Amino acid sequence: MNFYKNKNVFITGHTGFKGAWLTKLLLMAGARVTGYALNPPTEPSLFQMLGLEREINSITADIRDFDTLKKCVDAACPEIIFHLAAQPIVRAGYAEPRYTFETNVMGTVNILECARGVGACSVLNVTTDKVYRSNENGNAIREDGALGGSDPYSGSKSCSELVTLCYKSSFLGDTAVSTARAGNAIGGGDFAVGRIIPDCVRAALSGGKIGVLNPHSVRPYQHVLELLNAYLMIAERQYRDISYEGCYNIAPDADECAETGELVEMFCREWGGISWECISEKNAPRETNILRLDCEKFKSKFGWKQRWDIREAVSRTVEWTKAYIDGDIRTVTEGQIKDFYALKF
């Protein structure tokens, strides 16, 4: 955390779920943050509830607008760039494939072109565990696995990986550039449509049953702070030593991956007084049934260890949500960050 004090950091997608947590983390670390994103994608939103727009240079604009993005990056003079801006929902990709590809592919082109112009020292492009070609045998996928997501969201993120590799090889030889292929983030403040934990929260708040479409699908669920801690580690280490750049899976061990039904059951036990049911949906979009990542490369190179297992992640999500009901999210958000890092601020 001390590394980021007084660093100029540029975040795309800072108004989203992960972007808001990352912004808060960097502010607590003493960074000078510029954020570039559309308005928050949900109502309510963690970004607005934390009042982050008053604490950073927050720019409302589209990642597809290269001219505006370039002016903002040039003005910020970033040393470190985190690229999170994306259309991040699988189902939305089926509904709006063109927008998904424009945002996720050309958005990556635009931010890397801007990085090329300002000479940033460290760039991290956050993609997804879904960049890999479908692998239903249950084996954990390593970073050398074949790219090729089959739905529009996953395919656009696979393209984003290839764009990053191309820019690194062709234009950004002196800039440290990495991609983080992250698993499913859970935590307080996620109100998106089409994600299982927000569905659980909405059902709990309304007193209804949680409907689960694919209870036996396997995913690498992790608390959002686990992922963000990994991003911060990559950006810092490659800033100091370019040999640390690369592509990295960020996920729990294969035996820590959980079925969606197991995750929901944990949520129900933590919340108390709610239940779930399996539902069916005619013509539901296809999604990979089993997805596990091999994270040994990141663990061995960075000495990374998971701090909160899935049960702790669910418990912290419920804790945050109940604090949200009571109207005290700033305290619980800062408290969870302090607990995660075992630090005093």
Side-chain angles (χ1 to χ4, degrees):
M1 296 286 280
N2 290 336
F3 166 80
Y4 286 92
K5 187 174 182 179
N6 296 323
K7 291 288 192 300
N8 291 336
V9 181
F10 194 95
I11 308 173
T12 71
H14 67 295
T15 59
F17 166 55
K18 285 202 292 186
W21 274 99
L22 179 59
T23 300
K24 184 63 179 177
L25 263 172
L26 287 166
L27 285 171
M28 291 176 71
R32 293 188 290 264
V33 179
T34 298
Y36 184 101
L38 297 174
N39 286 319
T42 62
E43 176 58 45
S45 81
L46 178 63
F47 179 78
Q48 290 177 327
M49 288 189 289
L50 289 174
L52 295 175
E53 71 278 3
R54 298 189 296 271
E55 300 185 54
I56 67 169
N57 178 21
S58 181
I59 300 156
T60 303
D62 197 314
I63 194 69
R64 297 174 297 170
D65 182 350
F66 174 73
D67 290 339
T68 300
L69 179 64
K70 187 173 188 312
K71 289 176 184 177
C72 295
V73 173
D74 288 349
C77 298
E79 301 163 84
I80 300 159
I81 296 174
F82 292 99
H83 177 46
L84 279 69
Q87 190 298 98
I89 306 296
V90 171
R91 289 192 164 216
Y94 281 107
E96 298 183 288
R98 180 177 175 180
Y99 173 73
T100 298
F101 276 97
E102 286 178 347
T103 300
N104 296 354
V105 181
M106 287 309 300
T108 303
V109 171
N110 288 345
I111 192 63
L112 293 177
E113 186 69 17
C114 291
R116 176 187 178 191
V118 299
C121 295
S122 179
V123 179
L124 181 66
N125 177 20
V126 176
T127 61
T128 175
D129 53 6
K130 298 172 184 65
V131 297
Y132 295 107
R133 193 171 299 168
S134 180
N135 172 14
E136 296 288 358
N137 60 18
N139 294 332
I141 306 172
R142 301 192 312 179
E143 285 85 351
D144 58 2
L147 299 177
S150 58
D151 62 89
Y153 165 70
S154 304
S156 69
K157 284 295 196 175
S158 302
C159 293
S160 178
E161 288 273 351
L162 296 175
V163 167
T164 305
L165 177 62
C166 173
Y167 260 80
K168 172 60 190 177
S169 301
S170 301
F171 309 116
L172 297 170
D174 296 329
T175 300
V177 181
S178 289
T179 61
R181 301 167 182 177
N184 295 50
I186 65 175
D190 187 1
F191 298 98
V193 175
R195 292 192 187 129
I196 187 60
I197 288 294
D199 287 347
C200 291
V201 169
R202 280 186 284 269
L205 295 178
S206 66
K209 274 192 173 183
I210 303 167
V212 182
L213 186 62
N214 297 303
H216 298 297
S217 62
V218 177
R219 293 290 183 271
Y221 294 107
Q222 279 183 298
H223 194 274
V224 63
L225 288 176
E226 293 286 356
L227 299 176
L228 298 181
N229 182 50
Y231 303 164
L232 293 171
M233 290 176 71
I234 295 169
E236 174 202 352
R237 199 71 61 86
Q238 70 179 15
Y239 180 99
R240 300 179 187 274
D241 182 349
I242 199 171
S243 70
Y244 281 91
E245 69 179 358
C247 56
Y248 297 101
N249 289 338
I250 313 296
D253 291 336
D255 59 0
E256 270 283 309
C257 295
E259 290 188 353
T260 302
E262 293 175 322
L263 179 78
V264 175
E265 185 61 36
M266 291 178 205
F267 184 93
C268 291
R269 286 198 301 268
E270 283 289 334
W271 190 276
I274 58 171
S275 60
W276 66 278
E277 61 184 352
C278 182
I279 60 173
S280 61
E281 183 178 330
K282 190 176 181 181
N283 300 321
R286 183 186 179 278
E287 294 189 37
T288 300
N289 189 46
I290 300 175
L291 184 52
R292 292 186 174 97
L293 299 183
D294 185 320
C295 199
E296 285 303 313
K297 177 182 176 182
F298 182 61
K299 288 165 66 176
S300 61
K301 195 162 186 175
F302 286 79
W304 177 78
K305 293 181 180 179
Q306 180 171 290
R307 302 185 184 205
W308 289 350
D309 65 16
I310 187 170
R311 292 160 192 82
E312 183 72 14
V314 172
S315 175
R316 294 288 181 161
T317 302
V318 170
E319 175 191 44
W320 191 99
T321 306
K322 291 191 173 181
Y324 160 69
I325 295 172
D326 294 335
D328 190 17
I329 65 152
R330 179 176 288 273
T331 298
V332 72
T333 302
E334 293 179 354
Q336 290 189 353
I337 290 171
K338 293 174 184 177
D339 289 346
F340 183 85
Y341 284 101
L343 292 175
K344 294 180 180 179
F345 288 86

